[in-house]
Amino acid sequence: MKKVFQNAKLQVKMKGQDNPEGVTRTLSNVAENLTDAQIAIIKNFMQAITNDAVSEMKQTVANKLEMEPASAE
């Protein structure tokens, strides 16, 4: 059995004057292993285009399993 990377998403929760409770924005198809520098770039970009503040970020990685057939003995 082998684990193969399939997909990654980044959920960004943002709060602001128009969204005091916060709103979650999802970015699909991000890299599997984001660095701290890449996360900082995304955070700064999202804050710049929305005028909201990032309150939380969470990455979800989905993998698929490739199973090899059992050998017949």
Side-chain angles (χ1 to χ4, degrees):
M1 186 167 29
K2 177 169 94 170
K3 182 172 72 169
V4 179
F5 172 68
Q6 183 175 6
N7 170 327
K9 295 180 182 179
L10 187 65
Q11 294 178 329
V12 183
K13 185 168 184 179
M14 305 185 75
K15 294 182 179 181
Q17 186 175 3
D18 295 331
N19 302 306
E21 299 295 318
V23 62
T24 301
R25 294 178 169 87
T26 303
L27 306 173
S28 299
N29 301 315
V30 298
E32 178 181 13
N33 297 311
L34 292 174
T35 65
D36 289 340
Q38 290 169 320
I39 291 172
I41 290 169
I42 293 169
K43 179 180 176 180
N44 290 338
F45 174 76
M46 295 297 288
Q47 291 179 143
I49 64 171
T50 63
N51 290 325
D52 290 345
V54 172
S55 62
E56 182 181 334
M57 293 179 83
K58 182 172 97 174
Q59 184 176 21
T60 305
V61 177
N63 293 300
K64 63 181 178 179
L65 296 177
E66 288 187 357
M67 301 180 80
E68 298 176 14
S71 60
E73 291 184 29

